[in-house]
Amino acid sequence: MSILVTGGAGYIGSHTTIELLNAGYDVVIVDDLSNSQVEVLDRVEQISGKQPKFYEINILDHDKLREVFQKETIDAVIHFAAFKAVGESVEKPLEYYKNNTGGLLAVMEVMREFDCKTLIFSSSATVYGSDNQPPLREDLPTGQATNPYGYTKVFGEQILRDMVVSDSNWSVVLLRYFNPIGAHESGLIGENPNGIPNNLMPYITQVAIGKRDHLSVFGDDYDTPDGTGVRDYIHVVDLARGHVDAVKYALAHTESEAINLGTGEGYSVLDLVHTFEEVNNITIPYEIVERRAGDVDANFADPTKAKKLLGWEAKRDLKDMCRDAWNWQSHNPNGYEA
């Protein structure tokens, strides 16, 4: 059985590809390498012993995407390919709507043309907005995102639900991620951001490796135990496993389901910093700075539905996440560059 993974050379996509290969699936990757490196493919093969098929294609190119479906027999699609920086989406909303929403539409149009109607969508906890109180359940109201990136996920979910209503042969799982961090335990693949990291963990690891002087902690006056923002951090390998379970579920059902992928545990920014320091015996200098607009006090999942429907739950804890993130960064100080 063959799974198409759009954005499969990226951070979450590459880890998911490994879990799919280990589970016995054939994998076809489509990626334009705008936010990833082709060297990932060799590392995936080193870990799994298998080489996924790869097409360097922008998913907005309908003709090239059709060629992939003509050459390969695709049974299901996991759709990761999207721009993902919240701050950048505020600066470049048109680019985000065109790429993220337009990309999903392009993939769905070609899928429909080739009668492939099983899709796992890379959504986000951002769809819950800032008004819902944690733990966040899938039946809470969504649709009030705080930035264009979040709205591309809101629109994506709605488009997919509407497609299932119009054609009951479609099967869609909307996976709402919380905060993926960590890396594969081999240290061969991990998070490799372009330029200044937008996410907390790669910034911490770049401070640890000496690329950054210190970490800026945005605010210490939140209504949390230590005043810093609380989030649900999930190991990227656990997240990847969730996609394999979602594929199995979607292939056996025809419906749309929104499912959280999180641990259900909330940790503050300083919890993460201090755990990283403890596990890796490294000091992370940090400075408290002003809050960022739109940040909420606390955000964590209710993961009950994932366990009930998918049989999935997170297995790795915060120490594992910190250890594996540093294992990746310390062995790859410049990411995938030599």
Side-chain angles (χ1 to χ4, degrees):
M1 186 164 287
S2 189
I3 311 298
L4 176 67
V5 182
T6 71
Y11 174 46
I12 302 173
S14 59
H15 285 83
T16 299
T17 293
I18 288 169
E19 297 304 311
L20 288 166
L21 291 169
N22 289 343
Y25 293 99
D26 296 321
V27 177
V28 178
I29 291 175
V30 167
D31 199 305
D32 67 358
L33 302 179
S34 62
N35 193 35
S36 56
Q37 290 74 30
V38 74
E39 289 80 10
V40 170
L41 302 176
D42 291 334
R43 308 260 184 128
V44 166
E45 185 175 17
Q46 278 183 260
I47 295 167
S48 67
K50 303 171 186 176
Q51 176 78 273
K53 292 185 179 179
F54 173 68
Y55 294 88
E56 186 176 347
I57 291 172
N58 186 307
I59 56 172
L60 289 168
D61 190 328
H62 286 66
D63 291 338
K64 289 186 177 179
L65 198 54
R66 284 191 188 94
E67 288 177 13
V68 175
F69 276 81
Q70 287 167 352
K71 292 176 182 176
E72 311 290 345
T73 302
I74 305 298
D75 296 291
V77 174
I78 301 178
H79 181 53
F80 292 111
F83 294 159
K84 60 179 184 177
V86 168
E88 184 182 60
S89 77
V90 176
E91 298 168 6
K92 301 178 179 180
L94 291 183
E95 286 82 353
Y96 268 68
Y97 289 124
K98 179 179 180 180
N99 185 75
N100 293 9
T101 308
L104 173 62
L105 292 172
V107 169
M108 292 175 67
E109 286 169 357
V110 176
M111 287 177 68
R112 181 174 62 180
E113 186 178 330
F114 287 85
D115 200 34
C116 174
K117 296 182 177 180
T118 302
L119 189 146
I120 312 303
F121 181 58
S122 172
S123 191
S124 166
T126 58
V127 301
Y128 291 112
S130 58
D131 293 334
N132 291 312
Q133 295 301 308
L136 298 172
R137 301 184 317 275
E138 293 86 350
D139 59 356
L140 289 171
T142 61
Q144 295 301 314
T146 58
N147 53 74
Y149 164 76
Y151 275 113
T152 68
K153 298 304 183 182
V154 170
F155 297 158
E157 287 196 3
Q158 189 62 52
I159 290 164
L160 286 160
R161 284 199 199 89
D162 289 343
M163 181 57 79
V164 172
V165 170
S166 72
D167 182 348
S168 61
N169 291 315
W170 278 81
S171 179
V172 170
V173 178
L174 314 168
L175 292 180
R176 294 173 179 169
Y177 311 160
F178 281 70
N179 294 72
I181 61 174
H184 193 270
E185 63 183 4
S186 66
L188 288 170
I189 64 171
E191 190 166 7
N192 185 39
N194 290 332
I196 299 173
N198 290 295
N199 296 325
L200 178 59
M201 181 59 87
Y203 209 105
I204 290 173
T205 61
Q206 288 194 9
V207 171
I209 203 73
K211 282 192 168 186
R212 312 281 168 194
D213 292 333
H214 68 281
L215 171 71
S216 294
V217 175
F218 296 101
D220 64 350
D221 58 350
Y222 288 100
D223 185 16
T224 61
D226 65 17
T228 63
V230 167
R231 299 293 181 268
D232 188 334
Y233 297 99
I234 176 174
H235 197 294
V236 67
V237 174
D238 281 335
L239 187 68
R241 286 178 35 250
H243 289 78
V244 178
D245 293 333
V247 166
K248 294 175 185 175
Y249 180 87
L251 287 168
H253 298 80
T254 52
E255 59 192 7
S256 65
E257 286 285 358
I259 301 176
N260 290 334
L261 289 183
T263 66
E265 296 285 339
Y267 293 99
S268 73
V269 173
L270 292 183
D271 284 335
L272 188 59
V273 171
H274 297 325
T275 302
F276 187 93
E277 291 178 321
E278 175 192 342
V279 168
N280 299 307
N281 195 28
I282 295 171
T283 299
I284 302 297
Y286 64 87
E287 176 186 0
I288 305 294
V289 297
E290 289 186 8
R291 290 189 186 202
R292 292 180 302 192
D295 278 350
V296 296
D297 293 341
N299 185 306
F300 53 91
D302 178 343
T304 305
K305 189 175 180 180
K307 186 171 183 179
K308 180 181 178 181
L309 294 188
L310 307 182
W312 174 93
E313 58 185 335
K315 295 180 177 180
R316 294 160 179 82
D317 62 17
L318 194 63
K319 290 184 177 180
D320 296 323
M321 301 177 211
C322 292
R323 183 182 301 110
D324 290 341
W326 178 236
N327 185 42
W328 150 254
Q329 185 75 83
S330 61
H331 287 93
N332 302 271
N334 297 309
Y336 293 106
E337 297 177 11

